[in-house]
Amino acid sequence: MQVRAEQVRAKTTRRFLLEAAARLFDERGYVGTSISDISTQSGRTSGAIYFHYASKENLALAIVQEHFAAWPELIGRYRSAEFPALERLVALSFDVARAFRDDVVIRAGSRLWAERSAIDVTLPRPFVGWLETVTGLLEEAREEGALAEGIAPDMAAHGLVCAFFGLHTVSDALEGRRQIEEGLHDLWLLLLTALQPECDARALIGRAREQSERKRPAEAPVAVMEETPGKHPGKTKAAPPGTTPRKRKPAAKSEGRRAALAAVPPGHRREGAG
């Protein structure tokens, strides 16, 4: 039991440090972030960071690996779904867009891969999996009679992947991906006209977006900072599912004072290489 508890604590700490580093890498880039910065951000000593990640390079590698590890489960939800392949492709793209917008580890992994020349480790090769996935879905769409005559799935997949990640690059540069879903909607209006000229593109996109919303998983427990008097401020715990994590309030001297204390704002929760 004790060994198991220690393993859980170590896993939680590693994730906490990874997310703290991801926030800095996303904001400042690899060169602009030091282990000292990560120590300040996380409330952990540099020694503690080196204990879990032997170097800044290894920490960056872990974030990029986590970025790539997020996709197989997400893709699987749409490869096995029971609605038309073209709609599944559009729905998947919206789910991926939200991940790039909302998940700091996804965003940091993307930026780190773009800055790979500055990182002295071998990083995973991007986009190959996306090309295979999009090609497979377009092949299914062709079997369903949903592609225009003369559309080659592999060639179309290459263009779609380039367009999708190009959109992310522009959206990130211009408005921090805040309008990425609106931009993706407009991009699909253009692309679907070429892929399926007779379709009602707006209706298809609407159905796909509804499906992607339905398939969003429940939010996982969040690792949050726990400030306990007399203990290291970097200690973490998992907030129960469905609850909003909060920093612990200081002890009040009386019930009246305790009732008067305002709630501390919610704590931290958890886009480009593919």
Side-chain angles (χ1 to χ4, degrees):
M1 290 291 290
Q2 183 177 356
V3 172
R4 173 61 178 166
E6 291 175 353
Q7 291 173 337
V8 170
R9 281 196 297 271
K11 183 178 180 179
T12 300
T13 298
R14 284 178 60 85
R15 181 69 192 189
F16 176 76
L17 292 173
L18 183 138
E19 292 192 4
R23 286 192 292 276
L24 292 176
F25 286 137
D26 178 46
E27 294 169 3
R28 307 179 185 179
Y30 181 78
V31 174
T33 300
S34 68
I35 290 293
S36 177
D37 295 329
I38 298 168
S39 174
T40 300
Q41 174 82 8
S42 65
R44 297 301 180 95
T45 65
S46 297
I49 297 171
Y50 284 122
F51 177 81
H52 290 281
Y53 299 97
S55 65
K56 189 173 81 164
E57 290 87 354
N58 283 351
L59 185 47
L61 174 60
I63 291 171
V64 176
Q65 290 173 332
E66 191 78 10
H67 168 108
F68 282 91
W71 305 132
E73 181 182 354
L74 178 61
I75 291 169
R77 297 205 296 265
Y78 291 95
R79 293 305 299 265
S80 60
E82 296 181 355
F83 54 102
L86 206 53
E87 289 185 26
R88 282 185 275 138
L89 175 58
V90 176
L92 172 60
S93 73
F94 277 96
D95 229 339
V96 174
R98 285 191 292 265
F100 271 98
R101 183 192 63 200
D102 301 336
D103 191 320
V104 69
V105 176
I106 297 295
R107 293 197 308 271
S110 174
R111 178 162 183 174
L112 287 169
W113 193 90
E115 298 177 359
R116 61 196 178 279
S117 61
I119 308 173
D120 192 22
V121 291
T122 300
L123 300 178
R125 188 180 179 196
F127 304 122
V128 176
W130 287 120
L131 290 168
E132 294 173 351
T133 296
V134 176
T135 298
L137 286 168
L138 289 176
E139 288 173 344
E140 290 184 48
R142 182 175 60 183
E143 293 171 2
E144 295 168 358
L147 285 189
E149 186 176 352
I151 295 288
D154 56 342
M155 294 177 63
H158 187 273
L160 290 175
V161 170
C162 289
F164 180 79
F165 286 104
L167 172 67
H168 278 279
T169 299
V170 174
S171 179
D172 184 33
L174 296 183
E175 29 82 11
R177 295 189 177 92
R178 289 185 298 275
Q179 303 299 318
I180 188 63
E181 291 194 69
E182 292 81 354
L184 186 55
H185 177 278
D186 294 343
L187 178 62
W188 275 119
L189 286 177
L190 176 65
L191 296 174
L192 287 170
T193 302
L195 293 171
Q196 197 183 30
E198 302 303 319
C199 82
D200 184 341
R202 292 185 185 276
L204 189 155
I205 296 168
R207 292 192 301 270
R209 294 184 73 168
E210 289 179 5
Q211 292 288 353
S212 70
E213 288 290 342
R214 291 194 191 107
K215 288 184 172 294
R216 297 181 76 174
E219 190 168 326
V222 181
V224 296
M225 297 284 289
E226 177 187 86
E227 296 183 0
T228 305
K231 294 188 178 182
H232 197 286
K235 185 178 178 181
T236 63
K237 64 179 180 180
T243 64
T244 302
R246 296 181 181 273
K247 292 183 179 179
R248 180 172 295 182
K249 296 182 288 184
K253 292 184 178 180
S254 67
E255 289 299 325
R257 174 175 170 78
R258 190 175 298 114
L261 290 175
V264 177
H268 159 72
R269 125 182 188 34
R270 122 155 174 119
E271 197 181 57

